[in-house]
Amino acid sequence: ISEVDFQDSINVLGFSDELNKSLLQLYLDNRKEIRSILGELAPRLPSYHSLEWRLDVQLASRSLRQQIKPAVTMKLHLNQNEDQTAQVLQTDPATLLHLIQQLEQALGEMKMNHCRRIVRNMK
């Protein structure tokens, strides 16, 4: 990250100006080594490949003539290190709707200036 971005990041911590200058100098002296270590520590997470989904509805059973039990079944295909894996997930529509709302909220928070600065510093 640039000098300005680093200073913005450490100013939030509330250290003295002298300590901030020392940290900045230490960062500038060891920037390449820090970047290489962080690159090695980064987890290798699987990436999205595709998603198959199906809506199942149980309309009745022997004991209950009128019963509606919907269920959403999803098969999530992931790529990791040239290998493909699949995870099968099943949930009810209410839980799926709550999950969607939470993910939309997280995406909205990523648009905030503070989150943008953190993401920019991680790259």
Side-chain angles (χ1 to χ4, degrees), residues 100-114:
I100 290 168
Q101 290 171 345
Q102 292 295 313
L103 290 172
E104 286 176 346
Q105 181 182 355
L107 285 173
E109 289 178 7
M110 285 301 296
K111 294 178 182 175
M112 298 173 76
N113 287 336
H114 180 70

Side-chain angles (χ1 to χ4, degrees), residues 91-100:
T91 186
D92 61 296
T95 304
L96 183 60
L97 183 60
H98 177 71
L99 179 62
I100 290 168

Side-chain angles (χ1 to χ4, degrees), residues 47-87:
S47 61
Y48 170 83
H49 182 271
S50 65
L51 176 74
E52 299 174 43
W53 62 275
R54 180 179 75 214
L55 177 64
D56 295 322
V57 180
Q58 181 178 355
L59 297 175
S61 67
R62 289 183 186 173
S63 60
L64 292 171
R65 289 190 157 273
Q66 293 205 349
Q67 162 189 354
I68 298 177
K69 278 178 55 177
V72 179
T73 304
M74 298 168 280
K75 189 172 187 181
L76 181 62
H77 298 273
L78 303 170
N79 291 332
Q80 185 172 20
N81 300 332
E82 311 272 334
D83 296 331
Q84 277 197 349
T85 60
Q87 298 289 326

